[in-house]
C-alpha cells in the first residue's frame, strides 16, 4: 500500500537538534512543515535513572542489531560490524541524552586554513561563512534554550552582542578542582555554557541537578533540549506535523532534477510519498550521507547531489580522551556529576610552535560515566574482591580532565554504503572508513598531557594519561560529509547549505561543516540550522 499525503511547504527529515531548530523557525515564519523522524516521540515520563538500561542496553542509543554500522581503517581491509559513533534516533536526537555543553566556536575556527596553512594529507579548508555571520544565530539559540554561562569568562571567545540568559550552573566539586588547577598554572578557565537553567527562565523552572544526565533522558523535563524547547514551539504554531517512526528510504526527483518527494515507511510498514517545495536533511552527518547515497537515479547514479563524488567524504568525529587522578579529599561523583561545568580554551587556538595544527576544548569530567556501574579507574579490575575495594576507596575520590580532539578532514576518510551488511529493513548500512592523521595523534597527546597537569596542580595523585590512539566515534559528534563551500568542484553545499546540484535540497546537521573544530558542535549545528531556515523563508519567493 502507498499513501500520498497533502503536499506541504517543507519536509524535514530528522527531528533532532538541527531538524527541530529549523522546524521552529520555518513554522513560526508561516511555512507548513512535515517532519519525518525514524525514531519514537518519547515523553519525559518514559525517561529515568536506570543506568544499566541507558548506558549499557541501548535504551536511548540505536539498537545495533536493528541499525548496525560497519567500520574499517582502510579500503583494503574488511569492514566489521561496529556501532560507530551512535546518536539517539528519536525526537530530540542527541539532545535527549546530552550533558548540553554549548561553547561557541571561535572566529578562527571559520578560517583555520588561512590561519594554519596547508597540512599535508588533509583537506583543511576555510568555512564560506564567518563567525560574525553566525553570531546572531548563536544568540538566538542561547536565548531560546536559556543557556547558563558567564559572558567574557572565556578569554578566547569571539565578540557577542549580549550575555547569557542565565548565570552559570552551581559549581560541582569537579569544577572547583578544575578551576583551582588552572589558576595555579596561570591558565584561563570558565564555567561551561550549558543547556540547563540555573534559575527559572521564560516560564520554565530551574533544571534539576542530577548525576543521571550523561546518556540519560531527563524525567523532570527541566533540561533544555530540542525535545523540550524547539519541538513544543513548532507544534504551538499549528503548522508542524511530526510523524515519528517514519523511515525515509529515498528521495526521488522530478523531471527538472529537483526533489519531488520523500519515500518513507511508517511503523506498520506502509509506504508513503510526501511531496514538498523544499527538503531539509537533518539526520546527522552519517545518516544524511547514507540517505543521499541510497537515493540514486539516472541523473545521479552515484547518489543524490554527488556528481563530484564528495558526499560522505571528509568525515570527522572528534575523539574524547582524558587524564584521570585520585584525590585525598572527597569529590562525590554522584553529586551533580552530570553537570561538571568547568572548561578551558587555553590550548584551543592554533599555535605553530607546538608542531601540529589547532587544539581543543579541555573540561572537567567524570571517570567514565560517574555512576556506580560504569565508573572505573583505568587498569582497575573489572570484577572480584579487589574491584569492590577500589570502588570503595576511590569512587568518591576520583575525577578526570578531558579533551575534545580536533581531528583533521581527509579525502579518504568517508561514509559510504556497505556492500554486504543491511539493516532490519533490508537497506545497506553506513560504512565508516577512517584512519587518524598524525596531526590528530600529536594534538591528542599534547592535550591529554595538559589535562594531567591541571589535575596535578589541583592536588591530584596517581595521574593516569589515556591517550587517543585512534578515532572511535566516542563523542557522538559527526561532521563533514557534505561540506559547504563556494566552489562546486570541492564542496557539496553552498554557503546556505543548499546542495550545488539540487536547488531545493538543504542540509542542516553537521554534514556541511568543512572542519570539525575542537569544540562541542551542537550549538553551532542549531545556530546554523536557524540561519539556513531563515534563508529558506526569505528566499521563498525566488524559487
Amino acid at each position: 500500500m502507498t499513501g500520498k499525503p497533502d503536499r506541504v511547504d517543507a519536509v524535514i527529515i530528522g527531528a533532532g537538534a538541527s531538524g527541530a531548530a529549523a522546524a521552529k523557525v520555518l513554522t513560526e515564519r508561516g511555512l507548513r512543515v512535515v517532519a519525518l523522524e525514524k525514531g519514537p516521540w518519547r515523553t519525559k515520563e518514559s525517561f529515568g535513572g536506570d543506568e544499566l538500561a541507558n548506558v549499557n542496553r541501548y535504551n536511548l542509543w540505536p539498537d545495533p542489531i536493528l541499525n548496525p554500522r560497519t567500520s574499517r581503517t582502510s579500503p583494503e581491509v574488511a569492514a566489521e560490524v561496529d556501532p560507530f559513533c551512535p546518536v539517539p534516533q528519536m525526537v530530540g536526537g542527541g539532545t535527549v541524552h546530552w550533558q548540553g555543553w554549548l561553547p561557541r566556536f571561535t572566529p578562527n575556527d571559520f578560517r583555520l586554513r588561512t590561519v594554519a596553512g596547508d597540512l599535508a594529507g588533509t583537506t583543511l579548508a576555510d568555512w564560506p561563512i564567518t563567525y560574525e555571520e553566525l553570531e546572531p544565530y548563536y544568540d538566538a539559540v542561547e536565548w531560546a534554550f536559556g543557556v547558563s554561562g558567564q559572558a567574557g569568562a572565556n578569554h578566547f571567545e569571539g565578540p557577542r552582542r549580549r550575555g547569557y540568559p542565565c548565570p552559570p550552573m552551581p559549581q560541582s566539586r569537579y569544577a572547583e578542582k578544575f578551576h583551582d588547577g588552572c589558576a595555579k598554572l596561570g591558565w584561563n578557565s570558565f564555567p561551561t555554557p550549558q543547556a540547563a537553567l540555573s534559575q527559572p527562565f521564560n516560564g520554565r523552572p530551574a533544571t534539576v541537578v542530577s548525576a543521571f544526565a550523561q546518556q540519560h533522558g531527563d524525567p523532570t523535563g527541566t533540561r533544555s533540549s530540542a525535545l523540550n524547547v524547539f519541538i513544543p514551539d513548532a507544534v504551538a504554531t499549528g503548522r508542524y506535523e511530526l510523524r515519528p517512526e517514519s523511515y525515509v528510504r529515498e528521495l526521488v526527483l522530478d523531471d527538472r532534477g529537483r526533489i519531488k518527494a520523500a519515500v518513507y515507511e511508517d511503523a506498520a510498514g506502509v509506504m508513503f510519498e510526501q511531496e514538498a517545495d523544499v527538503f531539509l536533511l537533518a539526520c546527522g552527518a552519517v545518516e544524511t550521507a547514507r540517505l543521499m547515497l541510497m537515493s540514486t537515479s539516472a541523473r545521479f547514479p552515484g547518489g543524490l547531489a554527488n556528481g563530484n563524488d564528495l558526499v560522505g567524504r571528509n568525515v570527522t568525529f572528534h575523539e574524547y580522551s582524558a587524564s584521570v587522578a585520585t584525590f585525598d579529599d572527597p569529590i562525590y561523583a554522584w553529586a551533580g556529576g552530570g553537570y561538571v561545568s568547568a572548561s578551558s580554551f587555553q590550548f584551543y587556538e592554533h599555535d605553530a610552535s607546538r608542531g601540529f595544527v589547532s587544539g581543543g576544548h579541555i573540561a572537567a569530567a567524570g571517570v567514565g560515566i560517574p555512576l556506580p556501574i560504569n565508573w572505573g579507574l583505568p587498569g582497575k579490575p573489572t570484577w572480584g574482591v579487589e574491584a569492590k575495594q577500589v570502588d570503595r576507596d576511590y569512587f568518591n575520590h576520583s575525577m578526570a580532565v578531558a579533551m575534545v580532539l580536533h581531528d583533521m578532514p581527509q579525502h579518504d576518510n568517508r561514509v559510504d554504503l556497505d556492500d554486504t551488511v543491511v539493516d532490519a529493513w533490508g537497506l545497506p548500512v553506513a560504512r565508516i572508513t577512517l584512519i587518524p592523521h598524525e596531526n590528530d595523534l600529536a594534538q591528542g597527546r599534547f592535550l591529554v598531557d595538559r589535562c594531567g597537569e591541571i589535575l596535578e596542580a589541583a592536588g591530584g595523585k596517581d595521574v593516569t594519561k589515556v591517550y587517543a590512539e585512534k578515532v572511535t566515534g566516542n563523542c557522538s559528534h559527526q561532521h563533514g560529509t557534505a561540506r559547504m563551500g563556494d566552489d562546486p568542484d570541492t564542496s557539496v553545499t553552498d554557503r546556505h547549505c543548499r546542495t550545488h546540484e539540487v536547488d531545493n535540497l538543504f542540509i542542516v546537521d553537521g554534514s556541511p561543516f568543512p572542519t570539525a573544530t575542537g569544540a562541542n558542535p551542537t550549538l553551532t549545528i542549531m545556530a546554523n540550522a536557524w540561519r539556513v531556515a531563515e534563508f529558506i523563508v526569505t528566499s521563498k519567493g525566488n524559487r
Side-chain angles (χ1 to χ4, degrees):
M1 180 183 298
T2 300
K4 202 164 187 176
D6 291 342
R7 184 184 179 91
V8 294
D9 296 315
V11 164
I12 303 175
I13 302 168
S18 62
K24 168 185 168 65
V25 176
L26 295 177
T27 56
E28 289 181 346
R29 299 287 293 274
L31 271 62
R32 292 173 296 116
V33 174
V34 163
L36 303 173
E37 165 56 48
K38 182 180 180 182
W41 190 352
R42 292 179 57 168
T43 63
K44 62 183 173 59
E45 289 79 11
S46 72
F47 300 131
D50 187 334
E51 180 190 354
L52 194 61
N54 291 326
V55 180
N56 303 93
R57 292 182 175 168
Y58 307 106
N59 182 35
L60 302 178
W61 300 100
D63 186 328
I65 296 176
L66 300 176
N67 303 280
R69 284 178 182 153
T70 63
S71 69
R72 58 184 181 177
T73 54
S74 85
E76 286 73 38
V77 302
E80 297 181 353
V81 174
D82 175 13
F84 194 96
C85 197
V87 178
Q89 293 177 344
M90 61 176 63
V91 176
T95 70
V96 170
H97 80 145
W98 67 353
Q99 286 190 312
W101 293 0
L102 295 182
R104 294 183 177 193
F105 292 174
T106 70
N108 282 339
D109 278 327
F110 298 84
R111 53 191 188 97
L112 183 59
R113 171 65 178 73
T114 296
V115 170
D118 282 330
L119 178 61
T122 74
T123 52
L124 202 56
D126 289 346
W127 293 43
I129 62 172
T130 65
Y131 172 87
E132 288 73 21
E133 290 175 86
L134 200 58
E135 199 281 333
Y137 305 101
Y138 277 137
D139 180 79
V141 174
E142 289 170 349
W143 281 79
F145 266 31
V147 172
S148 297
Q150 183 180 350
N154 177 4
H155 295 174
F156 303 90
E157 187 180 62
R160 53 187 308 128
R161 63 190 54 212
R162 55 178 168 171
Y164 288 99
C166 294
M169 294 293 287
Q171 272 204 120
S172 65
R173 296 280 186 111
Y174 284 153
E176 291 175 4
K177 293 290 186 187
F178 185 88
H179 290 308
D180 179 52
C182 287
K184 288 176 177 173
L185 292 166
W187 298 347
N188 173 247
S189 63
F190 58 92
T192 309
Q194 290 198 258
L197 304 179
S198 59
Q199 62 186 21
F201 176 78
N202 200 23
R204 298 169 52 215
T207 298
V208 175
V209 177
S210 167
F212 295 93
Q214 185 178 4
Q215 297 190 27
H216 289 70
D218 174 19
T220 73
T222 58
R223 190 164 69 203
S224 297
S225 70
L227 178 65
N228 293 338
V229 179
F230 289 156
I231 295 293
D233 286 350
V235 170
T237 67
R239 291 183 284 272
Y240 183 58
E241 184 180 349
L242 174 51
R243 299 176 191 159
E245 300 185 80
S246 296
Y247 185 6
V248 177
R249 300 174 68 97
E250 66 173 327
L251 299 172
V252 295
L253 301 176
D254 62 17
D255 293 339
R256 297 180 296 163
R258 308 179 85 229
I259 305 296
K260 173 187 175 186
V263 178
Y264 72 95
E265 178 179 349
D266 71 4
V270 178
M271 303 294 293
F272 293 88
E273 276 193 21
Q274 178 61 60
E275 297 184 346
D277 294 340
V278 297
F279 292 79
L280 291 80
L281 297 182
C283 315
V286 172
E287 292 302 317
T288 282
R290 176 178 173 235
L291 177 57
M292 295 175 73
L293 294 171
M294 288 195 302
S295 300
T296 57
S297 62
R299 191 183 189 95
F300 296 112
L304 186 61
N306 193 30
N308 57 11
D309 188 31
L310 286 179
V311 171
R313 294 191 181 274
N314 302 303
V315 66
T316 51
F317 293 101
H318 288 158
E319 185 68 7
Y320 176 91
S321 193
S323 286
V324 174
T326 59
F327 289 82
D328 290 335
D329 52 323
I331 301 173
Y332 301 123
W334 46 269
Y339 295 93
V340 290
S341 65
S343 293
S344 176
F345 270 27
Q346 187 70 38
F347 303 99
Y348 186 87
E349 295 285 351
H350 174 67
D351 181 344
S353 69
R354 298 176 195 147
F356 57 83
V357 167
S358 194
H361 177 195
I362 289 174
V367 180
I369 305 294
L371 295 170
I373 297 173
N374 287 280
W375 175 88
L377 288 175
K380 160 188 166 299
T382 55
W383 62 282
V385 174
E386 189 178 352
K388 293 178 181 177
Q389 191 60 48
V390 172
D391 286 350
R392 294 188 189 97
D393 291 344
Y394 295 112
F395 178 71
N396 282 333
H397 295 263
S398 60
M399 68 170 280
V401 173
M403 62 95 191
V404 176
L405 176 70
H406 181 177
D407 52 333
M408 296 290 113
Q410 301 178 69
H411 181 77
D412 291 334
N413 283 350
R414 67 182 303 190
V415 175
D416 66 358
L417 302 179
D418 196 285
D419 49 14
T420 59
V421 181
V422 298
D423 66 11
W425 292 262
L427 298 176
V429 306
R431 176 174 60 188
I432 316 298
T433 303
L434 188 145
I435 185 168
H437 192 277
E438 60 184 19
N439 191 88
D440 304 342
L441 303 180
Q443 182 197 126
R445 287 191 291 269
F446 174 87
L447 291 174
V448 168
D449 284 344
R450 303 292 83 72
C451 294
E453 289 172 10
I454 293 171
L455 288 166
E456 289 172 344
K461 297 180 176 178
D462 302 320
V463 174
T464 301
K465 299 174 181 177
V466 183
Y467 297 112
E469 301 298 337
K470 58 182 179 180
V471 173
T472 65
N474 66 0
C475 279
S476 296
H477 301 165
Q478 306 173 3
H479 342 81
T481 56
R483 60 171 24 186
M484 62 172 141
D486 295 325
D487 184 352
D489 291 334
T490 59
S491 56
V492 177
T493 60
D494 65 14
R495 61 182 292 107
H496 303 297
C497 298
R498 175 171 50 190
T499 59
H500 290 297
E501 296 182 282
V502 181
D503 68 3
N504 69 337
L505 177 62
F506 294 81
I507 303 176
V508 293
D509 51 36
S511 306
F513 286 17
T515 53
T517 84
N520 309 64
T522 308
L523 173 65
T524 302
I525 288 173
M526 294 188 290
N528 189 54
W530 194 307
R531 179 184 72 91
V532 172
E534 288 212 342
F535 172 79
I536 291 172
V537 172
T538 57
S539 64
K540 186 171 186 292
N542 298 326
R543 288 194 298 272

